[in-house]
Amino acid sequence: MKSSEAAKAFSALAHETRLAVFRLLVQQGASGVPAGVFAEKIGIVPSTMSHHLALLERASLVRSWRIQRQIFYAADYEGTRRLLDFLTEDCCHGHPEICGGLHGMLEGCQSG
């Protein structure tokens, strides 16, 4: 991941609503959720929710697909792994044990 891509992802997460939505999507899993469900849960209008979801999708943190008239959203786990890997790729000056196994855990996620 390039620094510019990481900055875009962090910028997308640097908003309270988008961070809350992203965390809900990570909890939800790969099956995803219609945008309207999040709008109701968080208490914002659907058009505003669509704006937030679009920013997260452009940052490769969320993916979407359509089923009939509904658009479903789910966390983009591969994009999230790339962001976390970017943060930990040079972890602890060659001493990954200092990082508490985070980098090794991410490597295991990428292969799984």
Side-chain angles (χ1 to χ4, degrees):
M1 174 176 273
K2 297 178 183 177
S3 293
S4 60
E5 294 169 308
K8 188 176 189 178
F10 285 120
S11 178
L13 290 172
H15 187 281
E16 190 174 353
T17 299
R18 288 191 292 272
L19 183 58
V21 168
F22 178 73
R23 291 184 58 155
L24 286 170
L25 286 172
V26 167
Q27 292 169 11
Q28 190 64 37
S31 61
V33 177
V37 170
F38 284 111
E40 287 177 22
K41 206 172 219 181
I42 294 176
I44 62 174
V45 296
S47 60
T48 301
M49 179 57 67
S50 294
H51 167 75
H52 289 305
L53 288 164
L55 285 171
L56 289 166
E57 189 166 22
R58 285 194 297 273
S60 299
L61 297 170
V62 168
R63 60 186 181 83
S64 68
W65 65 96
R66 181 178 290 277
I67 298 178
Q68 296 176 347
R69 295 184 56 165
Q70 287 188 315
I71 300 175
F72 283 73
Y73 292 88
D76 183 336
Y77 292 106
E78 183 57 35
T80 302
R81 283 186 200 108
R82 285 193 311 271
L83 178 62
L84 293 173
D85 193 47
F86 171 83
L87 289 173
T88 60
E89 68 186 341
D90 296 321
C91 182
C92 307
H93 296 288
H95 300 282
E97 66 278 4
I98 296 171
C99 296
L102 177 61
H103 190 66
M105 179 189 71
L106 292 172
E107 288 175 353
C109 289
Q110 289 174 345
S111 63

